[in-house]
Amino acid sequence: DGTIDLVFTATNQSGQTSLYYILNNNNRGLTLSDQLFETNFPIFFNENIHLAHINSDDRPDLLVGKANGAVEYWSNSGTAIPAWQLESNAFLG
């Protein structure tokens, strides 16, 4: 929707990391609702995540660097709430 949201990762005691986000409800400042959304896939402590616009639809997509050296590409098909789908588990080979 063109606003800047709060996006962060957090790791639990089992070493599983998730991506969380809180949507900004104000396009002139920062107003965060109390709704916390979590991604539906695990990211482990030694893996990395990067938000980027990959497919030019102006929605933030995800590149996830896996522990085995692979880079996964997750496209964002959501409108108001991001919804990521795995497009490739070996992005750019």
Side-chain angles (χ1 to χ4, degrees):
D1 59 6
T3 61
I4 296 174
D5 303 317
L6 176 62
V7 180
F8 61 95
T9 58
T11 304
N12 65 20
Q13 292 178 338
S14 301
Q16 181 177 336
T17 302
S18 291
L19 176 73
Y20 298 90
Y21 51 96
I22 302 174
L23 301 178
N24 182 6
N25 296 321
N26 187 340
N27 52 356
R28 299 194 97 187
L30 185 64
T31 304
L32 301 173
S33 69
D34 58 353
Q35 283 191 303
L36 177 68
F37 298 98
E38 179 180 359
T39 56
N40 58 349
F41 57 90
I43 307 159
F44 295 97
F45 73 95
N46 57 349
E47 298 177 335
N48 296 294
I49 191 163
H50 179 72
L51 281 83
H53 295 290
I54 303 296
N55 59 5
S56 301
D57 66 358
D58 206 30
R59 295 183 191 127
D61 303 308
L62 301 177
L63 294 176
V64 180
K66 304 300 283 181
N68 64 3
V71 176
E72 295 179 346
Y73 163 44
W74 294 76
S75 67
N76 181 359
S77 61
T79 51
I81 298 173
W84 287 287
Q85 299 174 356
L86 180 62
E87 295 292 330
S88 172
N89 60 0
F91 184 65
L92 296 177

